[in-house]
Amino acid sequence: MRFVHTMVRVKDLDASLDFYCNKFGLIEMRRKDFEAGRFTLVFLAAPKDQDRSRAEAAPELELTYNWDPEDYDFGRNFGHLAYKVDDIYASCQALIDSGVTINRPPRDGRMAFIKSPDNISIELIQEGDALSLCEPWTSMENIGTW
């Protein structure tokens, strides 16, 4: 397992980039607009992490800007932690076997979400290409939120 990114939702992307880049010293590595979902993702890295960020897309801070205004209460502005795993299915099965609920199963062979005891969402991402789709994962329903 390796750490990938932490996601934070931001209300004002320009003000956030001014803070994180111009004042705090992080560097914008890449950004992607998702028109259908009406949001923008911007990935930032610390100066000494730029090479790793380019090579591995980690470790990074992900700023998520939702185009439609939203008040972030109850900590919703903090999104999730993200870790890459060698085998998403084996990792999820081991978590289930240890009593952890898989809130968003890896139906796509690539991504799953769980929650910590403190209700922090944790994203599991398949290292490399997505695994072939298989049961029971493809038929599993979401549970709760993530």
Side-chain angles (χ1 to χ4, degrees):
M1 173 185 338
R2 73 181 170 88
F3 180 75
V4 179
H5 66 255
T6 297
M7 186 269 266
V8 176
R9 288 182 178 87
V10 299
K11 284 185 173 188
D12 182 330
L13 185 57
D14 292 331
S16 294
L17 287 171
D18 179 57
F19 169 78
Y20 285 108
C21 297
N22 298 332
K23 296 174 179 156
F24 191 60
L26 298 181
I27 297 157
E28 183 174 330
M29 302 305 294
R30 64 189 183 287
R31 78 170 57 199
K32 177 115 176 152
D33 292 323
F34 293 87
E35 199 162 321
R38 301 189 46 74
F39 65 95
T40 299
L41 302 181
V42 180
F43 291 88
L44 310 175
K48 291 183 179 180
D49 289 328
Q50 287 182 83
D51 291 340
R52 281 192 60 207
S53 175
R54 280 187 201 96
E56 304 173 29
E60 296 174 324
L61 174 63
E62 173 191 326
L63 302 182
T64 297
Y65 172 68
N66 293 311
W67 301 355
D68 299 318
E70 181 179 345
D71 284 327
Y72 300 122
D73 53 1
F74 305 107
R76 181 160 152 64
N77 61 318
F78 177 80
H80 59 264
L81 302 174
Y83 291 88
K84 287 201 173 179
V85 296
D86 291 332
D87 182 325
I88 191 83
Y89 296 144
S91 295
C92 287
Q93 188 60 57
L95 288 162
I96 289 171
D97 292 346
S98 67
V100 175
T101 298
I102 306 298
N103 299 92
R104 193 280 193 192
R107 290 183 296 275
D108 56 4
R110 176 146 188 81
M111 177 183 64
F113 277 89
I114 59 173
K115 283 196 175 182
S116 76
D118 296 305
N119 218 24
I120 300 295
S121 290
I122 301 170
E123 179 181 14
L124 305 175
I125 304 168
Q126 173 62 41
E127 184 78 52
D129 295 333
L131 299 183
S132 297
L133 304 183
C134 69
E135 293 295 344
W137 310 107
T138 54
S139 298
M140 291 179 93
E141 296 290 327
N142 293 338
I143 298 173
T145 61
W146 57 90

